[in-house]
Amino acid sequence: MLAVAASLGVAACGGDDDDDDTSAATTEATETTAAGGGGGGETVALSATDFKFDPDDPAVKAGEVTFDVTNDGETVHNLEVEGPGEEAELPEDLQPGDKGSVSVDLSESGTYEFYCPVGNHKELGMVGEVTVQG
Ligand SMILES: [Cu+2]
């Protein structure tokens, strides 16, 4: 037990350390075992600008949803999605012009908030809501 905890600690600390301001939310992300085939979740394409998401009210079917984010703004952005059982964010902030994607388990219908966790971008308007239909 101790050995397991120790090795987990080492693994968790192994990452690069350039930007750790936003908590260690990514440590749990590996929990999702590579869902073996066929899930066929939806993909939502989002454009991040200074300072909003477009669209800011997408609708999807319940399931594993992948958000493809393009930073069309002129400053760094990210995307964090508050799913029903977990929150997920892009592994790295997006520089202007960059793209990234993050998958979230949205298997329960409802509405879930997403926002940009960089600086005060959420307060500036980088917030939206995804509607999940069962
Ligand atoms: Cu932002």
Side-chain angles (χ1 to χ4, degrees):
M1 197 57 197
L2 275 178
V4 170
S7 63
L8 280 177
V10 169
C13 292
D16 54 348
D17 213 6
D18 54 333
D19 176 19
D20 255 11
D21 217 15
T22 53
S23 88
T26 48
T27 47
E28 307 254 308
T30 46
E31 178 94 13
T32 45
T33 45
E42 284 202 51
T43 299
V44 175
L46 289 182
S47 168
T49 55
D50 314 333
F51 294 90
K52 70 192 293 281
F53 287 109
D54 181 29
D56 64 2
D57 59 350
V60 297
K61 285 211 176 84
E64 179 92 357
V65 176
T66 301
F67 292 83
D68 282 340
V69 187
T70 303
N71 185 351
D72 293 315
E74 295 180 350
T75 188
V76 170
H77 296 299
N78 200 321
L79 174 72
E80 179 155 338
V81 182
E82 304 283 342
E86 59 175 7
E87 55 183 38
E89 73 176 274
L90 297 173
E92 293 181 12
D93 289 346
L94 297 180
Q95 302 298 320
D98 277 359
K99 298 178 187 203
S101 63
V102 57
S103 296
V104 192
D105 177 8
L106 298 180
S107 51
E108 289 176 35
S109 56
T111 56
Y112 303 101
E113 185 180 73
F114 60 85
Y115 61 96
C116 175
V118 176
N120 63 339
H121 294 186
K122 183 180 179 184
E123 287 72 27
L124 292 172
M126 297 193 73
V127 59
E129 204 168 62
V130 57
T131 298
V132 178
Q133 290 138 351

